[in-house]
Coordinates of all heavy atoms in Angstrom, one line a residue:
M1 N -5.9 27.8 124.7 CA -4.7 28.5 124.6 C -5.0 30.0 125.0 O -5.8 30.6 124.3 CB -4.1 28.3 123.3 CG -2.7 28.9 123.2 SD -2.0 28.2 121.6 CE -0.6 29.2 121.5
P2 N -4.3 30.5 126.0 CA -4.6 31.9 126.3 C -4.1 32.9 125.3 O -3.1 32.7 124.6 CB -3.8 32.1 127.6 CG -2.8 31.1 127.6 CD -3.3 29.9 126.8
C3 N -4.8 34.0 125.2 CA -4.4 35.1 124.2 C -3.5 36.1 124.9 O -3.8 36.6 126.0 CB -5.7 35.7 123.7 SG -5.3 37.0 122.5
V4 N -2.3 36.3 124.3 CA -1.4 37.3 124.9 C -1.4 38.5 124.0 O -1.2 38.5 122.8 CB 0.1 36.7 124.9 CG1 1.1 37.7 125.4 CG2 0.1 35.4 125.7
P5 N -1.7 39.7 124.6 CA -1.7 40.9 123.8 C -0.3 41.3 123.4 O 0.7 41.2 124.2 CB -2.3 42.0 124.8 CG -2.1 41.4 126.1 CD -2.0 39.9 126.0
V6 N -0.1 41.8 122.3 CA 1.2 42.3 121.8 C 1.1 43.8 121.4 O 0.1 44.2 120.7 CB 1.6 41.5 120.5 CG1 2.9 42.1 119.9 CG2 1.7 40.0 120.9
W7 N 2.0 44.6 122.0 CA 2.0 46.0 121.7 C 3.1 46.4 120.8 O 4.2 45.9 121.0 CB 2.0 46.8 123.0 CG 0.9 46.5 123.9 CD1 0.9 45.6 124.9 CD2 -0.4 47.1 123.9 NE1 -0.4 45.6 125.5 CE2 -1.2 46.5 124.9 CE3 -1.0 48.1 123.0 CZ2 -2.5 46.9 125.1 CZ3 -2.3 48.4 123.3 CH2 -3.0 47.8 124.3
L8 N 2.9 47.3 119.9 CA 3.9 47.7 119.0 C 3.9 49.2 119.0 O 3.0 49.9 118.7 CB 3.6 47.2 117.6 CG 4.6 47.7 116.5 CD1 6.0 47.1 116.8 CD2 4.1 47.2 115.1
N9 N 5.0 49.8 119.5 CA 5.2 51.3 119.6 C 6.1 51.7 118.4 O 7.2 51.3 118.3 CB 5.8 51.7 120.9 CG 4.9 51.4 122.1 OD1 3.7 51.6 121.9 ND2 5.4 51.1 123.2
L10 N 5.6 52.6 117.6 CA 6.4 53.2 116.5 C 6.7 54.6 116.8 O 5.8 55.3 117.4 CB 5.6 53.0 115.2 CG 5.3 51.6 114.8 CD1 4.4 51.6 113.5 CD2 6.6 50.8 114.5
P11 N 7.9 55.1 116.4 CA 8.1 56.5 116.6 C 7.2 57.4 115.7 O 6.7 56.9 114.7 CB 9.6 56.7 116.2 CG 9.9 55.5 115.3 CD 8.9 54.4 115.8
P12 N 7.0 58.6 116.1 CA 6.1 59.4 115.3 C 6.7 59.7 113.9 O 7.9 59.7 113.7 CB 5.9 60.7 116.1 CG 7.1 60.7 117.0 CD 7.4 59.3 117.3
D13 N 5.9 59.9 112.9 CA 6.3 60.2 111.6 C 7.1 61.6 111.6 O 6.5 62.6 112.0 CB 5.1 60.3 110.6 CG 5.5 60.6 109.2 OD1 6.7 60.4 108.9 OD2 4.7 61.0 108.4
P14 N 8.4 61.6 111.2 CA 9.1 62.9 111.2 C 8.6 63.9 110.2 O 8.8 65.1 110.4 CB 10.6 62.5 110.8 CG 10.5 61.1 110.2 CD 9.2 60.5 110.7
G15 N 7.9 63.5 109.3 CA 7.3 64.5 108.3 C 5.9 64.9 108.7 O 5.2 65.7 108.1
G16 N 5.4 64.4 109.9 CA 4.1 64.7 110.3 C 3.9 66.0 111.1 O 4.7 66.9 110.8
S17 N 3.0 66.0 112.0 CA 2.7 67.2 112.7 C 3.7 67.5 113.9 O 3.6 68.5 114.6 CB 1.3 67.1 113.3 OG 1.3 66.0 114.3
T18 N 4.8 66.7 114.0 CA 5.8 67.0 115.1 C 6.8 68.1 114.7 O 7.5 68.5 115.6 CB 6.6 65.7 115.5 OG1 7.3 65.3 114.3 CG2 5.6 64.6 116.0
E19 N 6.8 68.5 113.5 CA 7.8 69.5 113.1 C 7.3 70.9 113.6 O 6.2 71.3 113.4 CB 7.9 69.6 111.6 CG 8.9 70.6 111.1 CD 9.1 70.5 109.6 OE1 8.6 69.6 108.9 OE2 9.6 71.5 109.1
N20 N 8.2 71.6 114.2 CA 8.0 72.9 114.7 C 9.3 73.7 114.6 O 10.2 73.5 115.4 CB 7.5 72.8 116.2 CG 7.2 74.2 116.7 OD1 7.6 75.2 116.2 ND2 6.4 74.2 117.8
D21 N 9.4 74.5 113.6 CA 10.7 75.2 113.3 C 11.1 76.2 114.4 O 12.3 76.5 114.5 CB 10.6 75.9 112.0 CG 10.6 75.0 110.8 OD1 11.0 73.8 111.0 OD2 10.1 75.3 109.8
D22 N 10.2 76.6 115.3 CA 10.5 77.5 116.3 C 11.0 76.8 117.6 O 12.0 77.3 118.2 CB 9.3 78.4 116.7 CG 8.9 79.4 115.6 OD1 9.8 79.8 114.9 OD2 7.7 79.7 115.5
H23 N 10.4 75.7 118.0 CA 10.8 75.1 119.2 C 11.5 73.8 119.0 O 12.2 73.3 119.9 CB 9.5 74.8 120.1 CG 8.9 76.1 120.5 ND1 9.4 77.0 121.4 CD2 7.7 76.6 120.0 CE1 8.6 78.0 121.5 NE2 7.5 77.8 120.7
N24 N 11.5 73.1 117.8 CA 12.1 71.9 117.6 C 12.6 71.9 116.1 O 12.1 71.1 115.3 CB 11.2 70.7 117.9 CG 11.9 69.4 117.8 OD1 13.1 69.3 117.9 ND2 11.1 68.3 117.6
P25 N 13.6 72.7 115.8 CA 14.0 72.8 114.4 C 14.8 71.6 114.0 O 15.5 71.0 114.9 CB 14.9 74.1 114.3 CG 15.4 74.2 115.7 CD 14.3 73.7 116.6
P26 N 14.8 71.2 112.7 CA 15.6 70.0 112.3 C 17.1 70.4 112.4 O 17.5 71.5 112.2 CB 15.2 69.8 110.9 CG 14.6 71.0 110.4 CD 14.0 71.7 111.7
R27 N 18.0 69.4 112.8 CA 19.4 69.7 112.9 C 20.2 68.8 111.9 O 19.7 67.9 111.4 CB 19.8 69.3 114.4 CG 19.1 70.0 115.4 CD 19.6 71.5 115.4 NE 18.9 72.2 116.4 CZ 18.5 73.5 116.2 NH1 18.6 74.1 115.1 NH2 17.9 74.1 117.1
I28 N 21.4 69.3 111.7 CA 22.3 68.5 110.9 C 22.8 67.3 111.6 O 23.0 67.4 112.8 CB 23.5 69.4 110.5 CG1 23.1 70.7 109.9 CG2 24.5 68.7 109.6 CD1 22.4 70.6 108.5
A29 N 23.1 66.2 110.9 CA 23.5 65.0 111.6 C 24.9 65.2 112.2 O 25.7 65.9 111.7 CB 23.6 63.8 110.5
S30 N 25.2 64.5 113.3 CA 26.5 64.6 114.0 C 27.6 64.0 113.1 O 27.4 63.1 112.4 CB 26.4 64.0 115.3 OG 26.2 62.6 115.2
R31 N 28.8 64.5 113.3 CA 30.0 64.0 112.6 C 31.2 63.9 113.5 O 31.2 64.5 114.6 CB 30.4 65.0 111.5 CG 29.3 65.5 110.6 CD 29.5 64.9 109.2 NE 28.6 65.3 108.2 CZ 27.3 65.1 108.1 NH1 26.7 64.5 109.1 NH2 26.6 65.5 107.1
N32 N 32.2 63.1 113.1 CA 33.4 63.0 113.8 C 34.5 63.6 112.9 O 34.7 63.0 111.8 CB 33.8 61.6 114.2 CG 32.8 61.1 115.2 OD1 32.5 61.8 116.1 ND2 32.4 59.8 115.1
L33 N 35.1 64.6 113.3 CA 36.2 65.2 112.5 C 37.5 65.2 113.4 O 37.5 65.3 114.6 CB 35.9 66.7 112.2 CG 34.6 66.9 111.4 CD1 34.3 68.4 111.3 CD2 34.8 66.3 110.0
F34 N 38.6 64.9 112.7 CA 39.9 64.8 113.4 C 40.9 65.8 113.0 O 41.1 66.1 111.8 CB 40.4 63.3 113.2 CG 39.5 62.3 113.7 CD1 38.6 61.6 112.8 CD2 39.5 61.9 115.0 CE1 37.8 60.7 113.2 CE2 38.6 61.0 115.5 CZ 37.8 60.3 114.6
D35 N 41.6 66.3 114.0 CA 42.7 67.3 113.8 C 43.9 66.7 114.5 O 43.9 65.8 115.4 CB 42.4 68.6 114.5 CG 41.1 69.3 113.9 OD1 40.7 68.9 112.8 OD2 40.6 70.2 114.6
F36 N 45.1 67.2 114.0 CA 46.4 66.7 114.6 C 47.3 67.9 114.7 O 47.4 68.7 113.9 CB 47.0 65.6 113.7 CG 48.4 65.2 114.1 CD1 48.5 64.3 115.1 CD2 49.5 65.7 113.5 CE1 49.8 63.9 115.5 CE2 50.7 65.3 113.9 CZ 50.9 64.4 114.9
S37 N 48.0 67.9 115.8 CA 48.9 69.0 116.1 C 50.1 68.5 116.9 O 49.9 67.7 117.9 CB 48.3 70.2 116.8 OG 49.1 71.2 116.9
V38 N 51.3 68.9 116.6 CA 52.5 68.6 117.3 C 53.4 69.8 117.3 O 53.5 70.5 116.3 CB 53.2 67.3 116.8 CG1 53.7 67.5 115.4 CG2 54.3 66.8 117.7
G39 N 54.1 70.0 118.4 CA 55.1 71.1 118.5 C 56.1 71.0 119.6 O 55.9 70.1 120.4
H40 N 57.1 71.8 119.5 CA 58.1 71.8 120.6 C 58.6 73.2 120.8 O 58.9 73.9 119.8 CB 59.2 70.8 120.2 CG 60.2 70.6 121.2 ND1 59.9 69.9 122.4 CD2 61.5 71.0 121.3 CE1 61.0 69.9 123.2 NE2 62.0 70.5 122.5
D41 N 58.8 73.6 122.0 CA 59.4 74.9 122.4 C 60.8 74.7 122.8 O 61.1 73.6 123.4 CB 58.6 75.6 123.5 CG 57.2 76.0 123.0 OD1 57.1 76.3 121.8 OD2 56.3 75.9 123.8
N42 N 61.6 75.7 122.6 CA 63.0 75.6 123.0 C 63.8 74.4 122.4 O 64.3 73.6 123.1 CB 63.2 75.7 124.5 CG 64.6 76.2 124.9 OD1 65.4 76.6 124.1 ND2 64.8 76.1 126.2
I43 N 63.8 74.3 121.1 CA 64.3 73.2 120.4 C 65.8 73.0 120.7 O 66.3 71.9 120.9 CB 64.1 73.3 118.8 CG1 62.6 73.3 118.5 CG2 64.8 72.2 118.1 CD1 62.3 73.6 117.1
F44 N 66.6 74.0 120.7 CA 68.0 74.0 120.9 C 68.5 74.2 122.3 O 69.6 74.3 122.6 CB 68.7 75.0 119.9 CG 68.4 74.8 118.5 CD1 67.7 75.7 117.8 CD2 68.7 73.6 117.8 CE1 67.4 75.6 116.4 CE2 68.4 73.4 116.5 CZ 67.7 74.4 115.8
H45 N 67.5 74.2 123.2 CA 67.8 74.4 124.7 C 68.6 75.6 125.0 O 69.5 75.5 125.8 CB 68.4 73.1 125.2 CG 67.6 71.9 125.0 ND1 66.4 71.6 125.5 CD2 67.9 70.8 124.1 CE1 66.0 70.5 125.1 NE2 66.8 70.0 124.2
G46 N 68.3 76.7 124.3 CA 69.1 77.9 124.6 C 68.5 78.7 125.8 O 67.4 78.5 126.2
D47 N 69.4 79.5 126.4 CA 69.0 80.2 127.6 C 68.5 81.6 127.2 O 67.5 82.1 127.7 CB 70.1 80.4 128.6 CG 70.5 79.1 129.2 OD1 69.6 78.3 129.4 OD2 71.7 78.9 129.5
R48 N 69.1 82.2 126.2 CA 68.8 83.6 125.8 C 67.8 83.6 124.6 O 66.8 84.3 124.6 CB 70.0 84.4 125.5 CG 69.8 85.8 125.3 CD 71.0 86.6 125.2 NE 70.7 88.0 124.9 CZ 71.6 88.9 124.6 NH1 72.9 88.5 124.5 NH2 71.3 90.1 124.3
Y49 N 68.2 82.9 123.6 CA 67.3 82.8 122.4 C 66.7 81.4 122.3 O 67.4 80.4 122.5 CB 68.2 83.1 121.1 CG 68.9 84.4 121.2 CD1 70.3 84.5 121.3 CD2 68.1 85.6 121.1 CE1 70.9 85.7 121.3 CE2 68.8 86.8 121.1 CZ 70.2 86.9 121.2 OH 70.8 88.1 121.3
K50 N 65.4 81.4 122.0 CA 64.7 80.1 121.9 C 64.0 79.9 120.6 O 63.4 80.9 120.1 CB 63.7 80.0 123.1 CG 64.4 80.1 124.4 CD 63.5 80.0 125.6 CE 64.2 80.1 126.9 NZ 63.4 80.1 128.0
W51 N 64.1 78.7 120.1 CA 63.4 78.4 118.8 C 62.2 77.5 119.1 O 62.3 76.6 120.0 CB 64.3 77.7 117.8 CG 65.4 78.6 117.3 CD1 66.6 78.9 117.8 CD2 65.3 79.3 116.0 NE1 67.3 79.8 117.0 CE2 66.5 80.0 115.9 CE3 64.3 79.4 115.0 CZ2 66.7 80.8 114.8 CZ3 64.6 80.2 113.9 CH2 65.7 80.9 113.8
S52 N 61.1 77.6 118.4 CA 60.0 76.7 118.5 C 59.5 76.3 117.2 O 59.7 77.0 116.2 CB 58.9 77.4 119.3 OG 58.4 78.5 118.6
A53 N 58.9 75.2 117.1 CA 58.3 74.7 115.8 C 57.0 74.0 116.1 O 56.8 73.3 117.1 CB 59.3 73.7 115.2
R54 N 56.0 74.2 115.2 CA 54.7 73.6 115.3 C 54.2 73.1 114.0 O 54.5 73.8 112.9 CB 53.7 74.6 115.9 CG 54.0 74.9 117.4 CD 52.9 75.8 117.9 NE 53.2 76.1 119.3 CZ 53.9 77.1 119.7 NH1 54.5 77.9 118.9 NH2 54.1 77.3 121.0
F55 N 53.5 72.0 114.0 CA 52.9 71.5 112.7 C 51.5 71.0 113.1 O 51.3 70.3 114.1 CB 53.7 70.3 112.2 CG 53.1 69.6 111.1 CD1 53.2 70.1 109.8 CD2 52.5 68.4 111.2 CE1 52.7 69.5 108.7 CE2 51.9 67.7 110.1 CZ 52.0 68.3 108.9
S56 N 50.5 71.4 112.3 CA 49.1 71.0 112.6 C 48.4 70.8 111.3 O 48.7 71.3 110.2 CB 48.4 72.1 113.4 OG 48.4 73.3 112.7
V57 N 47.4 69.8 111.4 CA 46.5 69.5 110.3 C 45.1 69.6 110.8 O 44.8 69.0 111.8 CB 46.8 68.1 109.7 CG1 45.9 67.8 108.5 CG2 48.3 67.9 109.3
V58 N 44.2 70.3 110.1 CA 42.8 70.4 110.5 C 42.0 69.6 109.5 O 42.3 69.7 108.3 CB 42.4 71.9 110.5 CG1 40.9 72.1 110.8 CG2 43.2 72.7 111.5
N59 N 41.1 68.8 110.0 CA 40.2 68.0 109.1 C 41.0 67.0 108.3 O 41.1 67.1 107.1 CB 39.3 68.9 108.2 CG 38.2 68.1 107.6 OD1 38.0 66.9 107.9 ND2 37.5 68.8 106.7
I60 N 41.7 66.1 109.0 CA 42.6 65.2 108.4 C 41.9 64.4 107.3 O 42.5 64.2 106.2 CB 43.2 64.2 109.4 CG1 44.1 64.9 110.4 CG2 43.9 63.0 108.8 CD1 44.6 64.1 111.5
A61 N 40.7 63.9 107.4 CA 40.0 63.1 106.4 C 39.5 63.9 105.3 O 39.0 63.4 104.3 CB 38.9 62.3 107.1
N62 N 39.5 65.2 105.4 CA 39.0 66.2 104.4 C 37.5 65.9 104.1 O 37.1 65.9 103.0 CB 39.8 66.1 103.1 CG 39.7 67.3 102.3 OD1 39.3 68.4 102.8 ND2 39.9 67.2 101.0
K63 N 36.7 65.7 105.2 CA 35.3 65.4 105.0 C 34.5 66.7 104.7 O 34.9 67.8 105.2 CB 34.7 64.8 106.3 CG 35.1 63.4 106.6 CD 34.2 62.8 107.6 CE 34.5 61.4 107.7 NZ 33.5 60.6 108.3
E64 N 33.6 66.6 103.9 CA 32.7 67.7 103.6 C 31.4 67.5 104.4 O 30.8 66.4 104.5 CB 32.3 67.7 102.1 CG 33.4 67.9 101.1 CD 33.0 67.9 99.7 OE1 31.8 67.6 99.4 OE2 33.8 68.1 98.8
A65 N 31.1 68.5 105.2 CA 30.0 68.4 106.1 C 29.4 69.8 106.4 O 30.0 70.8 106.1 CB 30.5 67.8 107.4
L66 N 28.2 69.8 106.9 CA 27.6 71.0 107.3 C 27.4 71.0 108.8 O 27.3 70.0 109.5 CB 26.2 71.1 106.7 CG 26.1 71.1 105.2 CD1 24.7 71.0 104.7 CD2 26.7 72.4 104.6
Y67 N 27.3 72.2 109.4 CA 27.0 72.3 110.9 C 26.3 73.6 111.1 O 26.3 74.5 110.3 CB 28.3 72.2 111.7 CG 29.2 73.4 111.6 CD1 29.2 74.4 112.5 CD2 30.2 73.5 110.6 CE1 30.0 75.5 112.5 CE2 31.0 74.5 110.5 CZ 31.0 75.5 111.4 OH 31.8 76.6 111.3
N68 N 25.7 73.7 112.3 CA 25.1 74.9 112.8 C 25.2 75.0 114.3 O 25.7 74.1 115.0 CB 23.6 75.0 112.3 CG 22.7 73.9 113.0 OD1 23.2 73.1 113.7 ND2 21.5 73.9 112.6
F69 N 24.8 76.1 114.9 CA 25.0 76.3 116.3 C 23.7 76.2 117.1 O 23.5 76.9 118.1 CB 25.6 77.7 116.5 CG 27.0 77.9 116.0 CD1 27.3 78.5 114.8 CD2 28.0 77.3 116.7 CE1 28.6 78.6 114.4 CE2 29.3 77.4 116.3 CZ 29.6 78.1 115.1
L70 N 22.9 75.3 116.7 CA 21.6 75.0 117.5 C 20.7 76.3 117.6 O 20.0 76.5 118.5 CB 21.9 74.5 118.9 CG 22.7 73.2 118.9 CD1 23.0 72.9 120.4 CD2 22.0 72.1 118.3
S71 N 20.8 77.1 116.6 CA 19.9 78.3 116.5 C 19.4 78.4 115.1 O 20.1 78.3 114.1 CB 20.7 79.5 116.9 OG 19.9 80.7 116.7
T72 N 18.1 78.7 115.0 CA 17.5 78.9 113.7 C 18.1 80.1 113.0 O 18.2 80.1 111.8 CB 16.0 79.1 113.9 OG1 15.5 78.0 114.6 CG2 15.3 79.2 112.6
F73 N 18.6 81.1 113.8 CA 19.0 82.4 113.2 C 20.5 82.4 112.8 O 21.0 83.3 112.2 CB 18.7 83.5 114.1 CG 17.2 83.6 114.4 CD1 16.8 83.2 115.7 CD2 16.3 84.0 113.5 CE1 15.4 83.2 115.9 CE2 15.0 84.0 113.7 CZ 14.5 83.6 115.0
S74 N 21.3 81.4 113.3 CA 22.8 81.4 113.0 C 23.1 80.9 111.6 O 24.2 81.2 111.1 CB 23.5 80.7 114.1 OG 23.3 79.3 113.9
G75 N 22.2 80.2 111.0 CA 22.4 79.7 109.7 C 23.2 78.4 109.7 O 23.6 77.9 110.7
T76 N 23.5 77.9 108.5 CA 24.2 76.7 108.3 C 25.6 77.0 107.7 O 25.7 77.8 106.9 CB 23.5 75.7 107.4 OG1 22.2 75.5 108.0 CG2 24.2 74.4 107.2
H77 N 26.6 76.3 108.2 CA 28.0 76.6 107.7 C 28.7 75.3 107.2 O 28.3 74.2 107.6 CB 28.8 77.1 108.9 CG 28.1 78.3 109.6 ND1 28.2 79.5 109.1 CD2 27.4 78.3 110.7 CE1 27.5 80.3 109.9 NE2 27.0 79.6 110.9
Y78 N 29.7 75.5 106.4 CA 30.5 74.3 105.9 C 31.7 74.1 106.8 O 32.2 75.1 107.3 CB 31.0 74.6 104.5 CG 29.9 74.5 103.5 CD1 29.3 75.7 103.0 CD2 29.5 73.3 102.9 CE1 28.3 75.7 102.0 CE2 28.5 73.3 102.0 CZ 27.9 74.4 101.5 OH 26.9 74.4 100.6
V79 N 32.1 72.9 107.0 CA 33.3 72.5 107.7 C 34.5 73.0 106.9 O 34.5 72.8 105.6 CB 33.4 71.0 108.0 CG1 34.7 70.6 108.6 CG2 32.3 70.6 109.0
T80 N 35.5 73.5 107.5 CA 36.7 73.9 106.8 C 37.4 72.7 106.1 O 37.5 71.7 106.7 CB 37.7 74.5 107.8 OG1 37.0 75.6 108.5 CG2 38.9 75.1 107.1
P81 N 37.8 72.9 104.8 CA 38.5 71.8 104.2 C 39.9 71.6 104.9 O 40.3 72.4 105.7 CB 38.7 72.2 102.8 CG 38.4 73.7 102.8 CD 37.6 74.0 103.9
R82 N 40.5 70.5 104.5 CA 41.8 70.1 105.1 C 42.8 71.3 105.0 O 42.9 71.9 103.9 CB 42.4 68.9 104.5 CG 43.8 68.5 105.1 CD 44.5 67.4 104.4 NE 43.6 66.2 104.3 CZ 43.5 65.5 103.2 NH1 44.2 65.8 102.1 NH2 42.7 64.5 103.2
A83 N 43.4 71.6 106.1 CA 44.4 72.7 106.1 C 45.7 72.2 106.9 O 45.6 71.7 107.9 CB 43.9 73.9 106.8
V84 N 46.8 72.4 106.2 CA 48.1 72.0 106.8 C 48.9 73.3 107.1 O 49.0 74.1 106.3 CB 48.9 71.1 105.9 CG1 50.2 70.7 106.5 CG2 48.1 69.9 105.5
T85 N 49.4 73.4 108.4 CA 50.0 74.6 108.8 C 51.3 74.2 109.5 O 51.3 73.3 110.4 CB 49.2 75.4 109.8 OG1 47.9 75.7 109.2 CG2 49.8 76.7 110.1
G86 N 52.4 74.9 109.2 CA 53.7 74.8 109.9 C 54.2 76.1 110.3 O 54.1 77.1 109.5
T87 N 54.7 76.2 111.5 CA 55.3 77.5 112.0 C 56.6 77.3 112.7 O 56.8 76.3 113.3 CB 54.3 78.2 113.0 OG1 54.1 77.4 114.1 CG2 53.0 78.6 112.4
I88 N 57.5 78.3 112.5 CA 58.8 78.3 113.2 C 58.8 79.6 113.9 O 58.5 80.7 113.3 CB 59.9 78.2 112.2 CG1 59.9 76.8 111.5 CG2 61.2 78.3 112.9 CD1 60.9 76.6 110.4
G89 N 59.2 79.6 115.2 CA 59.3 80.8 116.0 C 60.7 81.0 116.6 O 61.4 80.1 116.9
F90 N 61.0 82.3 116.7 CA 62.3 82.7 117.3 C 61.9 83.6 118.4 O 61.3 84.7 118.2 CB 63.2 83.3 116.3 CG 64.5 83.8 116.9 CD1 65.4 83.0 117.3 CD2 64.7 85.2 117.0 CE1 66.6 83.4 117.9 CE2 65.9 85.7 117.5 CZ 66.8 84.8 118.0
H91 N 62.2 83.3 119.6 CA 61.9 84.0 120.8 C 63.1 84.6 121.4 O 64.1 83.9 121.7 CB 61.1 83.2 121.8 CG 60.0 82.4 121.2 ND1 58.7 82.9 121.0 CD2 60.0 81.1 120.7 CE1 58.0 82.0 120.5 NE2 58.7 80.9 120.3
F92 N 63.1 85.9 121.7 CA 64.3 86.6 122.3 C 63.8 87.5 123.4 O 62.7 87.8 123.7 CB 65.1 87.3 121.3 CG 64.3 88.3 120.5 CD1 64.2 89.6 120.9 CD2 63.6 87.9 119.4 CE1 63.5 90.6 120.2 CE2 62.9 88.9 118.6 CZ 62.8 90.2 119.1

């Protein structure tokens, strides 16, 4: 019976010598955050005076997460908690 060689490739140990904070700094895991916004301009279809309304929600799921800007010097930041905003505008 012929002998068949088997190769096993394992990724390098992340805690090993591959860490280099200057050229390959560790990053925060990616996340999916969802926002929602809806609005309408000229609600009453006026010619001279116009009304607008907007409603928006930031971070609908209210997830707690960290992020950074791919730079060692920018630091780490928290994602904004859920924020609900409504605006009414009068344009003349």
Side-chain angles (χ1 to χ4, degrees):
M1 188 165 167
C3 180
V4 177
V6 176
W7 299 96
L8 179 62
N9 291 325
L10 298 174
D13 180 19
S17 62
T18 60
E19 182 177 346
N20 184 341
D21 290 337
D22 291 331
H23 299 287
N24 188 20
R27 300 289 178 222
I28 305 292
S30 62
R31 308 253 188 291
N32 291 321
L33 301 173
F34 298 98
D35 300 342
F36 174 78
S37 183
V38 64
H40 187 67
D41 291 327
N42 200 7
I43 295 172
F44 303 117
H45 305 290
D47 291 328
R48 187 171 178 192
Y49 303 110
K50 298 178 182 180
W51 289 86
S52 64
R54 291 184 180 88
F55 175 76
S56 62
V57 181
V58 177
N59 192 6
I60 292 174
N62 202 23
K63 287 196 171 199
E64 295 179 357
L66 298 172
Y67 70 96
N68 65 1
F69 291 104
L70 301 175
S71 171
T72 305
F73 303 106
S74 69
T76 301
H77 309 280
Y78 289 98
V79 170
T80 306
R82 182 185 303 136
V84 179
T85 306
T87 59
I88 296 175
F90 177 68
H91 310 276
F92 54 94

